[in-house]
Amino acid sequence: MRLILFAIFLLTFLAVNVQTGNAQTESSSAGKPNFIVFIADDMAWDDCGAYGHPKIQTPNLDQLSKDGMKFNRAFLTCSSCSPSRASMITGRYPHSTGAHQLHLPLPASQVTFVEKLKEAGYYTASAGKWHLGTPTESKFDHVTTKLNEWVSTLEQRPKEKPFFMWFAFIDPHRPYQRNIIERPHKVEEVIVPPYLPDTLEVRNDLALYYDEITRLDLVVGRVREALKKQNAASNTVIVFVSDNGRPFPRCKTTVYDSGIRTPCLIAWPGQIKAGSVCDSLISSVDLAPTILELAGLPVSETFQGKSFRTLLQNPGSKTRSHIFAEHNWHDFEDFGRAVRSPRFKYIRNFYTDIPGTPPADAVRSETFVKMLQLRGENKLTTDQKGSFLTPRPEVELYDLEADPHELHNLAGQKAYTKVEQELRMALDQWQEETHDRLPRSRRPDEFDRETGLQLPAFKKK
């Protein structure tokens, strides 16, 4: 009898301890926030309802903004897909990553915030567009390039670990298809910026771009719903950003706000005040140190960005006075640098002899073909000729409050001498501190600048 009683006591003791141990494990993982970073592919900062667009159907992004914080002055380090993503994941400027030009893989030696999370016990996964190269795959526990596996990736995670998800869309990247959503946008709903001609062709092109944003928005809604069903929503930080501006002339691959300004929405129930708005400057290079700090991890010296964690609690504070951006080879050769304060933008064009040609897929677009036609007929306005202009000015200066589309160059004007000098010095200092240098030689264009067709030297044999 004593043996039986002892056996019952021992089994009960072990059962209680196992349950307690499991509870402690769950409590431990619950104490660390989870993270989901959504990355749109070629979406402009103001092309959703949360940022004031009256027609684009983005109910889920609008709700995310209501549930968290909207950053009105969030910027990218460049307006080029893979270099921008490499910059985000390393917390370093593109020219410091070894992946500063389009399609260059991120070297294995580069430290990412994802591997730091993984080392600290996080389950790390990526789903969707993979634009970082093979060496970076090992820094994640799981990588799938298949589309529509966002929810399944979330469901298949180990439930005992905190998690980080890198959910990278291909929307709204070109090429476009019609009727991909239930209610396609109409041409009358399109808002045409002044640097593009307001024609039926351009409106059609923009309407299809809007449709892809709506398709993207639907995914955000499905993932958030899956989080709720898994009882993981209350302790998950959700970040939504884009990698560069819309794929249209004078947007993507430029350092104008139409290229480098990004939507940035961050929600964290109970930690970030719902419906809050931050007007302070932040940069995509700041995302890595911010996530590490939120996870309670140290930020090593490899990260060049500045954590904006304090802004999440106090959006009226300030973490930086300037943001910096760059443009390097992307289908076509170029080298440009920019610095922006809350009000002014200073741009330095190093290759003034070549035009600011948009990416090759945009050159092949309905919009650019129409612009070529109108140029031949001398029907483009001065504001619409920017993509064809040579020589370009070496220096550009804009007052973003008075001129949000950056159409009136103030460089050299006496009234702005002090502003120009201050921004030039800030850019010089940044280039010196980050060891940014002009390449010794230029990399040839891969495509024709007016047809978008691949040049013979680059065609596969």
Side-chain angles (χ1 to χ4, degrees), residues 253-296:
T253 70
T254 76
V255 290
Y256 298 121
D257 275 14
S258 52
I260 62 169
R261 196 169 180 178
T262 179
C264 183
L265 306 171
I266 304 180
W268 187 9
Q271 302 296 323
I272 297 175
K273 183 180 178 182
S276 53
V277 178
C278 180
D279 291 321
S280 298
L281 290 171
I282 62 170
S283 170
S284 58
V285 78
D286 303 333
L287 184 61
T290 302
I291 288 179
L292 288 175
E293 282 200 354
L294 292 179

Side-chain angles (χ1 to χ4, degrees), residues 60-222:
N60 294 296
L61 291 178
D62 300 350
Q63 187 61 50
L64 183 62
S65 177
K66 293 175 183 176
D67 293 340
M69 183 175 291
K70 176 176 70 173
F71 289 83
N72 283 331
R73 288 194 176 99
F75 294 88
L76 303 160
T77 56
C78 68
S79 185
S80 177
C81 303
S82 59
S84 179
R85 293 163 191 249
S87 181
M88 287 185 203
I89 205 167
T90 61
R92 297 174 65 80
Y93 291 101
H95 65 267
S96 298
T97 66
H100 58 293
Q101 296 179 353
L102 181 66
H103 300 315
L104 289 181
L106 185 65
S109 59
Q110 288 290 316
V111 178
T112 71
F113 74 86
V114 177
E115 68 198 81
K116 294 299 183 182
L117 291 173
K118 185 179 177 183
E119 291 168 2
Y122 274 78
Y123 175 76
T124 57
S126 172
K129 181 172 181 177
W130 183 256
H131 215 167
L132 297 167
T134 302
T136 309
E137 291 184 19
S138 63
K139 299 177 187 290
F140 287 80
D141 290 299
H142 174 74
V143 173
T144 176
T145 58
K146 294 180 181 179
L147 300 180
N148 300 320
E149 292 200 356
W150 329 99
V151 173
S152 61
T153 299
L154 195 60
E155 290 174 342
Q156 294 165 12
R157 63 183 172 84
K159 301 302 188 292
E160 74 279 4
K161 286 186 173 185
F163 62 84
F164 169 83
M165 303 284 167
W166 178 274
F167 285 169
F169 300 102
I170 61 166
D171 289 339
H173 197 289
R174 295 179 184 275
Y176 299 144
Q177 295 177 327
R178 297 186 181 279
N179 300 314
I180 63 170
I181 60 172
E182 185 175 344
R183 188 185 75 78
H185 294 86
K186 300 177 182 178
V187 293
E188 308 89 65
E189 297 175 312
V190 167
I191 297 175
V192 182
Y195 45 78
L196 297 178
D198 191 348
T199 70
L200 180 60
E201 294 84 356
V202 174
R203 285 182 169 269
N204 276 326
D205 207 9
L206 284 166
L208 295 177
Y209 159 77
Y210 288 4
D211 289 353
E212 294 217 351
I213 293 174
T214 296
R215 182 167 64 178
L216 169 160
D217 180 84
L218 294 171
V219 173
V220 173
R222 289 199 296 271

Side-chain angles (χ1 to χ4, degrees), residues 265-331:
L265 306 171
I266 304 180
W268 187 9
Q271 302 296 323
I272 297 175
K273 183 180 178 182
S276 53
V277 178
C278 180
D279 291 321
S280 298
L281 290 171
I282 62 170
S283 170
S284 58
V285 78
D286 303 333
L287 184 61
T290 302
I291 288 179
L292 288 175
E293 282 200 354
L294 292 179
L297 299 176
V299 179
S300 69
E301 294 182 356
T302 64
F303 298 97
Q304 296 173 325
K306 301 178 180 180
S307 171
F308 56 81
R309 179 179 58 86
T310 57
L311 298 181
L312 301 177
Q313 300 299 323
N314 182 13
S317 60
K318 186 173 74 170
T319 57
R320 55 167 63 241
S321 56
H322 300 92
I323 61 93
F324 301 90
E326 61 188 84
H327 177 48
N328 306 296
W329 190 97
H330 180 122
D331 294 337

Side-chain angles (χ1 to χ4, degrees), residues 426-456:
L427 184 61
D428 288 342
Q429 182 179 352
W430 171 76
Q431 287 193 276
E432 186 65 29
E433 290 177 351
T434 60
H435 307 288
D436 184 29
R437 300 287 185 271
L438 189 70
R440 295 181 179 178
S441 60
R442 297 192 188 187
R443 179 179 174 182
D445 294 346
E446 184 174 351
F447 300 89
D448 183 273
R449 286 180 178 260
E450 300 218 341
T451 66
L453 298 177
Q454 193 172 44
L455 297 173

